[in-house]
Amino acid sequence: MITLSNVTKIYKAKSGTVTAVDNVSLHIREGEIFGIIGYSGAGKSSLIRMLNGLEKATSGQVIVAGRDMANIKGRELRKARQEIGMIFQHFNLLWSRTVRENIAFPLEIAGVPKKERLKRVDELIKLVGLEGRENAYPSQLSGGQKQRVGIARALANNPKVLLCDEATSALDPQTTDSILDLLVDINKRLGLTIVLITHEMHVIRKICDRVAVMESGKIVEEGEVLRVFRKPEQPITKRFVQQVTEPEETKETISHLLEKYPQGRVIQLTFVGDAAEQPLMTNIIRKFNVSVNIVQGKISQTHQGAYGVLFIHIDGTEEEMDKVIDYIRQQQVEAEVMTNVE
């Protein structure tokens, strides 16, 4: 559906040139939800704007639904953009227009007849859950409702691709989750390819199938979300994953544990998928002659299954503790011994 081949975007500035996107190659499959994550200045906004022709690549190919967005213009570019919807961080609604009129706006530009236009708007209002708010103005809406209008408007022309530019950054956590649930529902119902950029790993964890991590204009890591959560390779990816998987002040907690427990072992357990649902602690207590203390942990649900990190302290004979660790690993749970104090 979307293929970027050796794409570079260079901006000219008074101080010289700035390479916002640096030789990026990427393939996004039809019908998937693909996330691009990076801190401010990583180049992700420039990258997503090249997907709908708002920015032109300095070099390389940007193929979206069979069209090279880097080399088309005029009527062909306008037609291509009708197949690529986009929602924004700050909604970009027309404040003098009602919900219905905002959603209808791209249909008016496309020359869709009024009767057909009204029917399509009604369908979209129902799809995004705005029944009863059709005649309200943006100033009368909550942040979540404004973004629902933005989503409906982006879907007006039946696009093949939906681009989300920090679409939940201006929303509170509860509203963010409701918007993300809506995007998943739209993806399933319409088979729409969704590309979203964000600096929040929670967004990636909740709805994305795959993720690319950007740093200094480059893709430094890419893969299935569950794989990236389980074994992040790059330092920046590890920092993002820690946002949602590790309790705060983990290092300080481990250091404290080593002082608190002069005997035994502190173990970090990593659960993935079905392993996160198993009564592992109960089985350890029943099967082995060790004391077990659950220190802290967190289980997160990704779009592809559960992922969890748990810190425990066990104490017993060396032989019995070795048996416990072997047993844990047999259950498809990763076990890393943080210390082994004699």
Side-chain angles (χ1 to χ4, degrees):
M1 171 57 72
I2 299 172
T3 301
L4 284 74
S5 302
N6 305 115
V7 173
T8 294
K9 176 62 180 179
I10 299 174
Y11 294 100
K12 293 181 180 179
K14 290 182 179 179
S15 57
T17 60
V18 177
T19 302
V21 178
D22 190 358
N23 196 35
V24 165
S25 294
L26 196 63
H27 179 69
I28 298 171
R29 303 165 190 153
E30 184 174 359
E32 75 173 333
I33 304 178
F34 191 93
I36 301 171
I37 190 168
Y39 291 114
S40 179
K44 56 190 188 298
S45 290
S46 294
L47 184 65
I48 201 170
R49 288 168 65 85
M50 286 190 283
L51 296 182
N52 65 357
L54 289 176
E55 297 281 358
K56 292 291 186 181
T58 305
S59 62
Q61 278 193 324
V62 180
I63 307 297
V64 181
R67 292 187 177 93
D68 186 353
M69 301 301 294
N71 292 307
I72 60 173
K73 55 186 177 181
R75 184 177 180 182
E76 189 178 359
L77 178 59
R78 290 192 294 273
K79 185 176 180 181
R81 283 177 174 163
Q82 288 181 357
E83 297 182 350
I84 305 169
M86 190 163 185
I87 57 176
F88 305 88
Q89 178 179 358
H90 296 296
F91 320 126
N92 287 11
L93 302 182
L94 299 170
W95 293 88
S96 62
R97 284 179 168 243
T98 64
V99 167
R100 181 183 295 279
E101 291 167 343
N102 263 283
I103 298 171
F105 186 61
L107 297 171
E108 293 174 20
I109 293 175
V112 176
K114 184 175 181 180
K115 185 177 180 181
E116 185 180 338
R117 198 163 66 225
L118 292 175
K119 180 182 177 182
R120 178 61 177 158
V121 170
D122 285 340
E123 292 172 352
L124 291 166
I125 286 172
K126 184 176 181 180
L127 177 66
V128 301
L130 284 173
E131 298 99 323
R133 305 297 287 163
E134 296 93 333
N135 298 315
Y137 289 89
S139 61
Q140 300 171 309
L141 303 176
S142 68
Q145 289 171 334
K146 291 173 188 173
Q147 196 56 285
R148 287 173 185 268
V149 177
I151 292 170
R153 181 185 59 187
L155 298 176
N157 283 312
N158 291 299
K160 296 177 181 178
V161 176
L162 178 63
L163 307 179
C164 307
D165 187 356
E166 296 279 9
T168 59
S169 295
L171 306 176
D172 62 74
Q174 185 175 355
T175 306
T176 290
D177 283 347
S178 70
I179 293 298
L180 295 178
D181 289 339
L182 175 60
L183 290 175
V184 171
D185 183 56
I186 289 169
N187 170 257
K188 289 179 179 178
R189 287 194 193 192
L190 307 180
L192 200 62
T193 303
I194 298 178
V195 183
L196 60 87
I197 67 169
T198 182
H199 62 276
E200 301 172 301
M201 201 63 181
H202 166 73
V203 173
I204 301 295
R205 172 188 65 79
K206 187 170 176 66
I207 72 168
C208 292
D209 301 302
R210 292 191 300 137
V211 61
V213 182
M214 284 196 77
E215 185 176 28
S216 301
K218 296 178 179 290
I219 300 290
V220 297
E221 189 162 352
E222 178 192 351
E224 303 286 335
V225 168
L226 202 54
R227 197 281 300 165
V228 170
F229 266 69
R230 184 176 184 180
K231 290 186 177 181
E233 296 172 0
Q234 300 298 320
I236 186 174
T237 312
K238 292 176 182 178
R239 291 200 298 273
F240 278 125
V241 170
Q242 286 168 0
Q243 289 180 5
V244 290
T245 61
E246 291 190 11
E248 294 181 3
E249 300 179 350
T250 295
K251 291 182 179 178
E252 290 80 359
T253 300
I254 292 172
S255 178
H256 173 69
L257 284 173
L258 303 187
E259 296 176 3
K260 184 176 180 180
Y261 298 102
Q263 305 291 329
R265 301 178 190 178
V266 176
I267 307 172
Q268 177 179 321
L269 308 181
T270 304
F271 304 81
V272 178
D274 293 340
E277 312 297 331
Q278 301 304 314
L280 183 63
M281 294 301 101
T282 301
N283 291 339
I284 289 173
I285 293 169
R286 287 175 176 173
K287 291 176 179 290
F288 303 99
N289 185 26
V290 295
S291 62
V292 180
N293 182 34
I294 298 175
V295 178
Q296 63 179 17
K298 188 172 185 179
I299 293 180
S300 301
Q301 293 295 328
T302 76
H303 196 43
Q304 300 167 320
Y307 175 94
V309 175
L310 184 68
F311 290 89
I312 66 172
H313 171 258
I314 64 172
D315 197 7
T317 65
E318 290 296 317
E319 181 181 4
E320 202 71 1
M321 288 191 291
D322 286 341
K323 289 180 181 178
V324 170
I325 293 170
D326 287 341
Y327 172 75
I328 291 171
R329 289 169 177 162
Q330 289 170 11
Q331 309 312 306
Q332 306 304 310
V333 175
E334 293 182 22
E336 180 182 356
V337 179
M338 309 307 293
T339 184
N340 186 354
V341 181
E342 298 294 331

